[in-house]
Amino acid sequence: MTLPPLYLSSQQPRARWMRFDTAQLLKRFFFCERSLLVSMAAWIPSIASLEIKIEMARFTWQSSETANSLRERVFELRFPNRLLEEEGSDHSLVGLIGSVRDSPSVPALLSAVGHVFLPALRDAYRDYLDASDAIADGPTHRFLSVALTEKREQVDAFQKWAATSLTQHAALRESTAVWTHDLSERLVAIGGIGVGPASQVDVTTPKTNTYAIPDRPARDPRFWPCRFYWPDIVDSTFPYGEGLRLQLRSAISHLNEVWAIEVGGIILSSFAEVLPWEWIRNSARWTYDESRHCRMGYERLMAWNLDPAEIPLGTYIYDSASGEDPIYRLGMLYFFETKNIRHKPARAQMFHSYGDTLSEHDMDFDWADETIHAGYGKHWLKELLVLRGQQAEAYDQVRERCGQLVTDYVGTATAKEISDIRSVADALILKAGKTELS
Ligand SMILES: [Fe+2]
Ligand SMILES: [Fe+2]
């Protein structure tokens, strides 16, 4: 006679991963998202297409939110805090993902992200959701399902952008294919992202280029290119305006917040290694918010049937901090946030009185965002200064110097630039007058 077993046991797929295994996988995903989003942010200024610039900011923010949920969940699983500060056995994988920042060109970046790293993350999330326990690990299932949906959208977008950018830069086809293939091979060699144990293989990361912050931002060629995007910037006698002029000026300002998306991306990546995680999360949100403000202006101008070729898209604020320590890029955002915020409620009120509900709506939402941003600026400038061994209160000096940098740069406007922007603005005001903006 055989004795009954002493304990109940059966093969249960729910028990495939124990708490610690789960935390290790989620930690890997956190570092992969973090690494990828830092590279995406760094490239925003180099992308010409306004659509891609805006969408990349949104995707960067999505990644930061996913990374933040992953990080919080790892802490909930009682993973030792100290171990979450380092990639550990995933060091090589995370380094490989980070190497995409050194892509040799815009198509190469879009292709490597869209064909190699985003699909690998998407598949890892899908496999994780399939194999993990929706009961014990229910909180992860909720946010990772959202992340999987977002990853699918991101893969489609990046692959489409990579294809479009290659039709515009056919000469880069070969180098883009080589770069993408190379990274893909290395990712395979390391075992992918996946849900398996960390690879022991140490791959070297390819290097064809070293990332540098571009001195000039790439701009969408559909618009009228310039440095100073409205006459009042270079000519104090030109009024900011009321009525139709104010409606137009405000939409032009919003569109030209494209500089703030670029600067947001630069500062996120520049300080990612020195400031704590919360910096990346805040600056990703900041960058995304600025992309929404830019899009608000674009959509209003398009709704008024204006032609992008007649709309000035300038670079002067970006240019003003070029070649400077990136702390002045952070300072530049802070300078403009605090300089303009007081006008916004009054302008929303003016738009209300004109019956222009869309401008009013956009300005009102923008004001709420900018209030958050002014807080980010002050807080992180202080943190950065303290890290550098300086007084936190010197943040105001950084702000003041930014004001001076802009004034000096505006002083370089040529007579031709001033008369050209005047003609473009007058023509736009005339045309808008015939359209009647509301
Ligand atoms: Fe803004
Ligand atoms: Fe802002």
Side-chain angles (χ1 to χ4, degrees), residues 173-293:
R173 205 169 277 280
E174 173 77 22
S175 60
T176 294
V178 169
W179 174 250
T180 309
H181 182 73
D182 191 5
L183 288 174
S184 172
E185 294 273 284
R186 286 169 204 260
L187 185 62
V188 169
I190 216 171
I193 297 175
V195 292
S199 168
Q200 302 306 315
V201 180
D202 206 3
V203 293
T204 53
T205 49
K207 208 146 183 90
T208 59
N209 183 44
T210 300
Y211 174 83
I213 298 170
D215 277 344
R216 303 291 321 272
R219 284 299 155 81
D220 198 318
R222 292 181 301 143
F223 296 89
W224 190 76
C226 55
R227 293 197 296 164
F228 308 99
Y229 59 80
W230 207 247
D232 55 14
I233 297 164
V234 284
D235 176 1
S236 58
T237 64
F238 193 94
Y240 202 89
E242 289 186 2
L244 178 145
R245 281 172 170 252
L246 181 62
Q247 290 172 283
L248 200 54
R249 179 66 175 90
S250 168
I252 295 277
S253 284
H254 266 153
L255 171 71
N256 273 277
E257 287 192 24
V258 66
W259 75 268
I261 317 175
E262 293 157 341
V263 168
I266 290 173
I267 56 175
L268 183 157
S269 62
S270 294
F271 305 125
E273 303 310 320
V274 286
L275 289 172
W277 162 250
E278 204 56 32
W279 159 253
I280 298 185
R281 189 174 180 222
N282 287 172
S283 55
R285 170 63 197 270
W286 199 348
T287 307
Y288 170 51
D289 290 351
E290 301 306 352
S291 81
R292 292 188 294 108
H293 302 162

Side-chain angles (χ1 to χ4, degrees), residues 95 345 382 414:
K382 285 180 166 186
T414 64

Side-chain angles (χ1 to χ4, degrees), residues 298-356:
Y298 175 73
E299 297 289 341
R300 294 211 297 286
L301 293 163
M302 293 303 104
W304 293 328
N305 289 320
L306 298 170
D307 179 359
E310 302 166 327
I311 298 171
L313 194 59
T315 58
Y316 83 102
I317 304 177
Y318 184 101
D319 299 340
S320 297
S322 287
E324 298 287 334
D325 178 332
I327 198 172
Y328 292 106
R329 297 222 181 254
L330 171 56
M332 207 57 91
L333 268 173
Y334 179 57
F335 172 74
F336 279 95
E337 304 287 5
T338 44
K339 175 173 168 283
N340 295 330
I341 201 163
R342 63 201 163 93
H343 300 299
K344 298 197 178 199
R347 285 187 186 141
Q349 214 39 52
M350 299 276 264
F351 295 138
H352 181 80
S353 73
Y354 307 157
D356 179 358

